[in-house]
Amino acid sequence: MTRARIESLLASFPKLIPANTQHTSVETSDVRYVYQPLEDLYILLITNKASNILQDIDTLHLFARVVSDLCRSADEREIQKNAFELLGAFDEIVSMGYRENVNLMQVRSVLEMESHEEKIQEIIARNKEAEAKEELKRRAKQLEMQRREQQRRAAGAGGSSYLGSGNSMYSPVPRFEAPETPAPITRTTSTPAARAPAFKGTGMKLGGKKTKQAELIDALGGDVAASVATSDLSVPPTPSASSQPQHPTALKHDGRGSLPEVHVESVHIAIKETISLSLMRDGGVESMELKGDMNLQITDAALAHLQITLSSPSTDFGGNNLQFKQHPNVAKFVPGQERVVSLKDPSRAFPVGQSLAVLKWRYAGTDESNVPLSINCWPSPSNDGTCEVSIEYELENENVTLHDVVISIPLPAGSYPTVSSHTGEWSLDPGSHSLAWSITRVSAADDTRSGSMIFTVGGDDASAFFPVQVTFVGQGSLAGVGVASVSQVGGESVPAFSVDAVVSTEEYLVV
């Protein structure tokens, strides 16, 4: 269709508008005019007479919503001001004379031209800057302590000179020794690691590698760089806290996460449980399996003849479906009596210097009352092409305290959430395009027992937000297995023993 033909059709439209009628379409011998009043103007759609009138009206309504979304008012000046954006939006709705299958949210997303990679890089940059500031504060505090220590040592060396003169022309340069760091400083050195950013990857970087201090200086600007350079000229460098030797028990290993470490005694009992759980989104348990074992390690041969009395569980976890299995040399439990772990032959002793699995247990079933952490994910699609998702958790098992809880909710492709309320922290996982909701600690003893999050995201498919994946490490035993006392076979109680009870997830899903 030529431009002259289009101008002729537009010029004849005002003469064809009927008066005192509610119809919003006019037909001529060749074309059909479908229009909608918008204050003092009209939105006009010209089609042939063979087109679908219902689809034309729907397209016209989408045009009107785009105009209302891009323009603050429907006057001629505002429309001319936003003409470029309007033409771009109309081109997304109609292409080559045919309606595209898009909604307002998709048109808005195309016009904003948002880049997933750009958002990720911005988040990484902000997190690196925050981490650099924290590291610089720690470094500045450490340098200040070193400066004071040097002044104190220099003053002590000058006052104790064998010449008896405090104004000696020469004073020996004191040998630098790393000052003893008090306990509060030791705790603060681990703060940057605890506040590690959600995105571990680094952005595109050209050239050679920089040292950690150079990265800090670049991130914080020239003024700070000058002050740090001056401090480095006057004060000898001190090894960082991460380079100092650490005690083996202070290291994180075996998937403990942020669980507090346990001091190992001569009699050490390790309780480990793993849970595999599949919850249904509408309620109920699809499958659940809990496996646990108790390992005994004795380092003092004088305590090798002992027996372990288990504590009575506070809840009846699993009922008859919870099955125990002892080591072949360990006596079985006596029904109706306390559960005692001891050797069948009292004259024999447990091995010394090695870990021995003395007890195992297993539960498999679909009883919803045994679920340790309930998850309720409720997507609510709306008419504007978005979906409001409400998700909440609640700790059901009071025998454990959970740490490092991460609830991952998948997101529709190409959509990014707007979080309106949440407990804990949240971040985007670019690898799986999911929202990672993190709760540091969940305990039945305080208000962290339950929490919720509400966010809005583009898309109207409720199934796109499943499966929800949950990971955590816990302190305690889901099955209620604990140690009440440890005593020698002769009846004397063991003065000190340690128990380390850890529960972790093998698979925890809401499908």
Side-chain angles (χ1 to χ4, degrees), residues 275-289 317 363 365-377 391-396 402 407-408 465-472 505 507-511:
I275 182 172
S276 298
L277 177 64
S278 180
L279 297 170
M280 291 182 286
R281 68 186 72 173
D282 297 327
V285 179
E286 187 176 68
S287 63
M288 178 179 179
E289 183 181 27
F317 181 92
Y363 166 80
T366 57
D367 189 353
E368 195 170 3
S369 63
N370 295 322
V371 174
L373 186 70
S374 61
I375 306 293
N376 184 14
C377 183
I391 183 168
E392 59 183 2
Y393 72 87
E394 183 173 1
L395 181 63
E396 305 289 353
L402 305 183
I407 304 174
S408 299
F465 304 98
F466 296 93
V468 177
Q469 184 175 2
V470 184
T471 60
F472 58 78
T505 58
E507 185 181 57
Y508 206 110
L509 301 175
V510 182
V511 296

Side-chain angles (χ1 to χ4, degrees), residues 80-202:
Q80 289 180 349
K81 179 181 177 182
N82 298 278
F84 182 79
E85 288 79 5
L86 288 172
L87 289 175
F90 291 169
D91 185 62
E92 295 298 327
I93 298 173
V94 176
S95 177
M96 302 297 294
Y98 293 96
R99 162 72 187 274
E100 296 287 340
N101 187 19
V102 294
N103 54 34
L104 180 60
M105 288 296 298
Q106 293 172 325
V107 173
R108 187 185 301 167
S109 177
V110 171
L111 293 180
E112 290 176 355
M113 292 185 292
E114 293 184 349
S115 170
H116 176 69
E117 289 75 12
E118 182 182 4
K119 283 188 174 182
I120 297 301
Q121 292 303 321
E122 289 177 354
I123 294 174
I124 292 174
R126 288 197 300 266
N127 289 338
K128 289 179 66 176
E129 182 178 355
E131 186 181 10
K133 289 181 179 179
E134 290 290 335
E135 180 67 17
L136 185 67
K137 289 179 182 178
R138 186 195 66 80
R139 176 67 174 166
K141 192 171 184 179
Q142 194 175 37
L143 293 176
E144 181 64 24
M145 290 182 60
Q146 295 173 12
R147 191 178 296 110
R148 291 180 181 178
E149 181 70 13
Q150 279 195 327
Q151 292 175 357
R152 184 181 65 81
R153 291 177 179 271
S160 60
S161 174
Y162 71 94
L163 295 176
S165 172
N167 296 325
S168 174
M169 296 298 293
Y170 167 76
S171 61
V173 179
R175 184 181 63 182
F176 174 76
E177 296 180 0
E180 295 182 359
T181 308
I185 302 303
T186 302
R187 286 195 294 268
T188 55
T189 55
S190 63
T191 302
R195 297 180 181 176
F199 297 95
K200 301 296 183 183
T202 57

Side-chain angles (χ1 to χ4, degrees), residues 136 139 143 213 217 220 222-233:
L136 185 67
R139 176 67 174 166
L143 293 176
Q213 186 173 2
I217 294 173
L220 296 172
D223 296 338
V224 177
S227 63
V228 172
T230 305
S231 301
D232 287 344
L233 290 175

